[in-house]
Amino acid sequence: MAVAQRVEHQMTDKGYVPVYTTRVVEQPWDEYSPTDHDVWARLFRRQLQILPGRASPEFLDAQQAMGMGEAQIPKFTELNKVLGDTTGWQLIGVEGLLPELDFFDHLANRRFPVTWWIRKPEQMDYISEPDLFHDLFGHVPLLMNPVFADYMQAYGRGGVKAHGIGPDALVNLTRLYWYTVEFGLIRCAEGLRIYGAGIVSSKGESIYCLEDEAPNRIGFDLKRIMRTRYRIDTYQKTYFVIDDFEQLFEATRPDFTPYYAELATLPAFPAGGVQDSDKVYHRGSGKGWLNDGDV
Ligand code: PHE
Ligand code: FE
């Protein structure tokens, strides 16, 4: 499929790197192959088998209310009707990762960018970049939840602001996204549950994050999270646990400008460290951890 491509530069931990980006594209639904639909069906079925009792009730309820099914890759136009009637969010198709400012601007306007293409059958267990399954199955259901929907929009607005402040502020804010939107856990009466999109879209990490002895599970603490490095190539060493989405929304309501200034004077924490002030649900054994590679 022809897509307009352009090169931009994005600040990362390794300095400015070129990113190949595309503008918004219409989901080329008719072009999905039988294999694409089958990959969707197998991933969908597999996650729905392991997520009950592991994913948060909010996620599972929203997932069901959205009406995604396993029979075929959902159409963005159909999901948009449901989302539009519920919280007013809209999905837009994209080729892949966007420049940060574009991404923030979409979120600030309640538009969620979804990668239109799906992984290949040999990538069922691991893929290094977001694809349709991660974006749609992982991120989109919680956009149905009113509090989470507002959090995502506020995050986008905060991102636009942090972008204007500078790269260090963006690093702080990106860590928050990582440890909440992507890899967050939530406490409920029966125990810890998953709400992070990076976890719910991964079979291995859905089990690991809750049941393995290795990772830390620590209570949510905004500035602590904004100081904490993370992993992009292994399961997380630490998961942070919120009490509910209201806690997340309330903690992030203040203007972060003074927080960024304060954090700029403090050293970062390693991904696997435990601090004295942490509320520890589980202290990880560290089994199987790689020593380097925190970003
Ligand atoms: N309140 C934050 C700020 O002023 C914005 C924000 C909201 C960031 C929600 C993250 C999540 O920057
Ligand atoms: Fe993601």
mmCIF file of all heavy atoms in Angstrom, residues 80 87 104 124:
data_model
loop_
_atom_site.group_PDB
_atom_site.id
_atom_site.type_symbol
_atom_site.label_atom_id
_atom_site.label_comp_id
_atom_site.label_asym_id
_atom_site.label_seq_id
_atom_site.Cartn_x
_atom_site.Cartn_y
_atom_site.Cartn_z
ATOM 1 N N ASN A 80 -15.220 3.223 16.101
ATOM 2 C CA ASN A 80 -15.376 4.662 16.322
ATOM 3 C C ASN A 80 -16.808 5.068 16.644
ATOM 4 O O ASN A 80 -17.025 6.056 17.350
ATOM 5 C CB ASN A 80 -14.859 5.439 15.105
ATOM 6 C CG ASN A 80 -13.353 5.627 15.176
ATOM 7 O OD1 ASN A 80 -12.755 5.478 16.243
ATOM 8 N ND2 ASN A 80 -12.735 5.950 14.046
ATOM 9 N N THR A 87 -17.155 7.885 25.065
ATOM 10 C CA THR A 87 -16.291 8.920 25.648
ATOM 11 C C THR A 87 -15.850 9.957 24.618
ATOM 12 O O THR A 87 -15.097 10.871 24.945
ATOM 13 C CB THR A 87 -15.013 8.301 26.258
ATOM 14 O OG1 THR A 87 -14.350 7.538 25.230
ATOM 15 C CG2 THR A 87 -15.353 7.409 27.445
ATOM 16 N N PHE A 104 1.301 13.551 20.959
ATOM 17 C CA PHE A 104 0.674 14.294 22.056
ATOM 18 C C PHE A 104 -0.526 15.095 21.563
ATOM 19 O O PHE A 104 -1.556 15.166 22.229
ATOM 20 C CB PHE A 104 1.684 15.262 22.692
ATOM 21 C CG PHE A 104 2.827 14.588 23.400
ATOM 22 C CD1 PHE A 104 4.119 15.092 23.313
ATOM 23 C CD2 PHE A 104 2.621 13.452 24.184
ATOM 24 C CE1 PHE A 104 5.177 14.484 23.977
ATOM 25 C CE2 PHE A 104 3.672 12.830 24.856
ATOM 26 C CZ PHE A 104 4.957 13.353 24.745
ATOM 27 N N MET A 124 4.011 -14.086 16.995
ATOM 28 C CA MET A 124 2.916 -14.211 17.972
ATOM 29 C C MET A 124 3.345 -13.834 19.394
ATOM 30 O O MET A 124 2.601 -13.206 20.128
ATOM 31 C CB MET A 124 2.395 -15.661 18.002
ATOM 32 C CG MET A 124 1.626 -16.081 16.781
ATOM 33 S SD MET A 124 -0.038 -15.415 16.746
ATOM 34 C CE MET A 124 -0.798 -16.349 18.072
#
